[in-house]
Structure formats: C-alpha cells, structure tokens
Amino acid sequence: MDHLDPSDRPGRTDLREHPEHAHADHLNHPDLHADLDGLRLRYWQAGDHGTPVVLLHALGASVEFWSRTLPRLAEHHRVFALDLPGFGRSDKPPVRYTPAFLAETVWRFADAVGLDRLHLMGNSMGGAVSMECAIQSPERLHSLVLVCPAGLGRAVGPGPRTLSVPYVGETLTRPDRAASRRSVLGCVHRHSTVPDGLVETVFRHSADDGAAHGLLGTLRAFVRHDGQRMEVVDRYRERLAHLNAPVLVLTGEKDRMIPADYLDVVRAYPNVRTHEFADCGHYPQLEVPDEFSRVVLPFLHDAVGAIRD
C-alpha cells in the first residue's frame, strides 16, 4: 500500500474545494440490530420506498464507509447497510469465516428484515461476498453492483498478501491507531476525501474482541501470500458469466489495493457493464459520492425494468 503523508499526496486539494463533499457526513446514523438466532448484526437503514438495496462493506470496514452514499440512494430506494459478522459493531463469533458463511448471513439478514428480491452492492470484499450470494440464491437478485471488487482477478496490494501469512497477520492486526490511519488513507487517492472520524471508527472496531479473528479469517479465505486465490477467482468469474441479473462493475482509476486487471475478462460477459472513476482510489462511494450516485441510480432503475421484460 501507498501510505504517503497527506501533504505528499499528488493532486491533494482542500476538503472545502470539493463539491462532492458539500453534504454533511453522517457517521452517526442511528444503529439498528437484527438478531439471527443469537448472532447480532448492526445495520443502518434509510429510505421508505423503492426496491431494496443491501450494501456490503470492504475488509476491515463497516457501515460508516457508506455514509456519503446512503442518503443519496435512499431518495429512490429502501437502503440497508450491513456490518458483516466479524466487522464493525456486529458480533464477532469464533467461527470459520468462509465465503459461504458470510453469504448465508446476508440472506438470513434479508429474511429477518423482510426482503425478498433485492439489489446487492458490495465494495472490495463485500463485492466478493455479493458474488457468493449470487451463487447461493441468484433468483433473489435484481442486480449486482461490484465496487472495486475482490474475487475477480489475481492482483491485490501487498498489505493483504502480508496479512495472509500465518503469525505475521496476527502480529500486524493488533489494535494501533497509526495502522488504522495507514489502512484507510492508503486506499484513497486524496486523503481529504476521508470523512472526519472515520479513522478513529476503524481503530475502535479493530480493538473489539474477535475483530482480528474475523478479519484474518475472511481475508485468508480470499487471499494468499502471492495474490487472490485463483479457485475463488475462477468460481466468481463463472458465476458472473452465467448470471441472469444485470451486473455493474465499478473501478477506481487510482486503486492500488485491487488493480482492475480483470476488466477485459468481465467485459466479455453479456450482462456486465463497467465504469471507471477518474482520480479515485478503492472507495468510490466515499471519494466521489455524487458521481457514484449518478452512475449507480440509473443502473438500479434499468435493472428492475430489464428483469420485468
């Protein structure tokens, strides 16, 4: 990962000069909880009409990483941002964090809050979990939106590869504010796009009992010391190639965490559309929320129409 100091970041601009951030950040959205037979999950909900959208965060992230996108999507949809088990303020049980376990939890959550068919939108690891959900229950999907997704190409930054190494990962995931700062700022193109308080939120979540087990268990299901696991990549490419639901793959031009070396492959799939955000890193929903919404909202609308046709 690139961990430049903010003053060294190429193209850095002051937050006040960014029209993308004219809206206030909403890191203190009301928490809701779903109890899945003793597994307590935190989620945020917004919007009271439209087809439902479920948002899945990246590795080491949480619902707060959707804070700038949630209110925009909620103008047209019922939106549910979920802390996956092992992350954020959801329970962190001592279980094996497999892709199947995470996807099953998503569908159990959907059942608990009364959702049948829905749009799934996942960032990074959340994109990989979304594809696992598509393997388990494709008939429940209106569409998939994969935001800088894991699981489609071999390449991944050095940070995840290092954490995948036994004992090394356990040492490096001890709670540390400086490490939390590096992990967040190393994923964005402009440090000024990070909401105030987000780094502290990541640090607090990392200090919870079970957080390191959840993070490392999930990471190692997808990543090895030499890159993303090809058995996972092959499985998800096969799913996308034959999925009936429309798929939108979004990438950041400056994403150093998961380079989009897979785009030529997925562009050949008939149901896949792609879009690249210029001057953007691994979190487009935070870095360019207005442009993100302008791209995503028409796709969600058209996806439902396409299914009905």
Side-chain angles (χ1 to χ4, degrees):
M1 288 185 218
D2 183 347
H3 300 314
L4 295 176
D5 183 83
S7 60
D8 298 328
R9 174 66 65 187
R12 178 178 180 262
T13 58
D14 188 271
L15 181 63
R16 292 167 296 178
E17 297 174 0
H18 259 281
E20 288 281 0
H21 311 304
H23 297 277
D25 292 318
H26 300 278
L27 295 186
N28 295 317
H29 192 92
D31 286 348
L32 298 172
H33 297 89
D35 191 307
L36 310 182
D37 298 323
L39 179 65
R40 191 169 186 258
L41 302 181
R42 175 180 71 143
Y43 68 100
W44 287 358
Q45 182 177 349
D48 58 7
H49 65 279
T51 51
V53 181
V54 174
L55 309 178
L56 305 180
H57 57 76
L59 188 81
S62 59
V63 296
E64 283 85 359
F65 281 71
W66 297 103
S67 60
R68 288 185 175 143
T69 302
L70 188 75
R72 291 164 168 85
L73 297 179
E75 294 176 7
H76 305 275
H77 296 273
R78 289 181 292 141
V79 187
F80 301 78
L82 174 65
D83 277 350
L84 290 165
F87 298 93
R89 295 181 185 168
S90 285
D91 283 352
K92 302 168 178 64
V95 299
R96 190 161 169 252
Y97 284 82
T98 65
F101 165 70
L102 295 169
E104 287 164 4
T105 302
V106 172
W107 289 125
R108 290 173 63 203
F109 168 78
D111 291 340
V113 295
L115 306 181
D116 183 16
R117 293 188 79 171
L118 50 85
H119 304 278
L120 263 182
M121 188 179 304
N123 178 209
S124 193
M125 172 205 74
V129 175
S130 297
M131 288 184 278
E132 189 71 27
C133 288
I135 290 173
Q136 291 185 1
S137 296
E139 74 284 354
R140 296 185 67 174
L141 291 176
H142 285 305
S143 74
L144 281 182
V145 180
L146 307 176
V147 186
C148 303
L152 287 178
R154 181 77 163 160
V156 66
R161 298 201 309 270
T162 302
L163 291 177
S164 74
V165 178
Y167 304 109
V168 175
E170 280 73 7
T171 299
L172 294 178
T173 51
R174 293 170 182 163
D176 181 272
R177 277 190 173 84
S180 294
R181 181 177 184 273
R182 289 193 300 269
S183 72
V184 175
L185 299 187
C187 285
V188 298
H189 180 52
R190 295 187 182 91
H191 290 184
S192 59
T193 61
V194 175
D196 292 341
L198 186 63
V199 170
E200 182 64 19
T201 295
V202 171
F203 167 71
R204 290 200 313 269
H205 293 165
S206 74
D208 287 349
D209 290 342
H213 174 73
L215 185 147
L216 292 174
T218 303
L219 169 73
R220 289 166 178 167
F222 296 105
V223 176
R224 296 162 25 108
H225 69 281
D226 55 355
Q228 297 191 64
R229 295 181 177 274
M230 280 309 298
E231 65 269 25
V232 174
V233 171
D234 291 342
R235 173 179 170 85
Y236 293 159
R237 287 182 178 181
E238 173 71 14
R239 174 72 277 177
L240 285 195
H242 297 95
L243 189 66
N244 288 328
V247 179
L248 177 62
V249 178
L250 304 174
T251 58
E253 178 193 19
K254 306 296 185 180
D255 186 356
R256 295 177 299 277
M257 181 58 65
I258 301 182
D261 60 352
Y262 52 82
L263 280 180
D264 285 345
V265 174
V266 301
R267 280 173 177 154
Y269 302 156
N271 60 328
V272 173
R273 293 169 51 189
T274 65
H275 179 87
E276 180 181 80
F277 297 103
D279 297 322
C280 182
H282 195 54
Y283 301 133
Q285 74 275 20
L286 281 180
E287 299 177 62
V288 288
D290 288 338
E291 183 184 358
F292 185 92
S293 300
R294 286 195 298 268
V295 172
V296 167
L297 284 170
F299 171 80
L300 298 179
H301 178 270
D302 293 346
V304 175
I307 290 173
R308 287 173 179 167
D309 292 338

